[in-house]
Amino acid sequence: MLIDVSSLNYWAILAGGILYMIYGGIYYSVLVGKKNQNTGPLKYVVAGIVAFISSIFIGVLVQATGSTSLLDGVVVGSIVGLLISIVYLKNTLFGLVSAKNCAIAIGDHLIIFTLLGALHGFFV
């Protein structure tokens, strides 16, 4: 089954990208703080691009699964968040990510992808 990209709600994609950036800014400011202040703006540009790409993908998944409500969107977003969390756990087992950073990343992804799913489910 092909997804009709023209039927995606562009307002939901825009709102999702903005939501992701605002949420990420607050979440990481509270949990991580300002550790490295000598970095350029490129990481923020890339983070913004990732936010909008994530919103697009969640929108496509919500549409592809036939989700028709906020709750359906929550389920789709939660599944994506859980999948990403499992990957972080595996990487932590092999020492690629510290336990603290793993917990921070898991919390971030579980929450934001659930929120994105809810947003896209609401706008269906």
Side-chain angles (χ1 to χ4, degrees):
M1 171 187 347
L2 293 175
I3 302 299
D4 181 13
V5 184
S6 66
S7 67
L8 287 174
N9 187 322
Y10 295 110
W11 289 110
I13 291 170
L14 179 64
I18 293 169
L19 171 68
Y20 196 132
M21 289 188 293
I22 291 170
Y23 169 78
I26 294 168
Y27 185 85
Y28 282 101
S29 293
V30 169
L31 290 179
V32 179
K34 296 182 178 181
K35 287 187 176 182
N36 189 354
Q37 297 180 5
N38 295 328
T39 58
L42 183 60
K43 71 177 182 180
Y44 297 104
V45 171
V46 172
I49 292 168
V50 167
F52 285 100
I53 290 171
S54 297
S55 184
I56 291 167
F57 284 156
I58 292 295
V60 167
L61 284 173
V62 166
Q63 181 184 12
T65 58
S67 299
T68 58
S69 69
L70 183 136
L71 186 58
D72 290 344
V74 165
V75 170
V76 172
S78 296
I79 290 170
V80 172
L82 284 170
L83 181 60
I84 292 169
S85 297
I86 291 168
V87 172
Y88 271 102
L89 286 172
K90 183 222 14 127
N91 289 341
T92 302
L93 289 174
F94 288 98
L96 299 173
V97 180
S98 72
K100 179 183 176 185
N101 288 341
C102 178
I104 291 170
I106 285 175
D108 173 37
H109 291 96
L110 282 174
I111 294 168
I112 192 56
F113 283 105
T114 301
L115 290 173
L116 285 176
L119 183 138
H120 283 281
F122 178 76
F123 280 105
V124 170

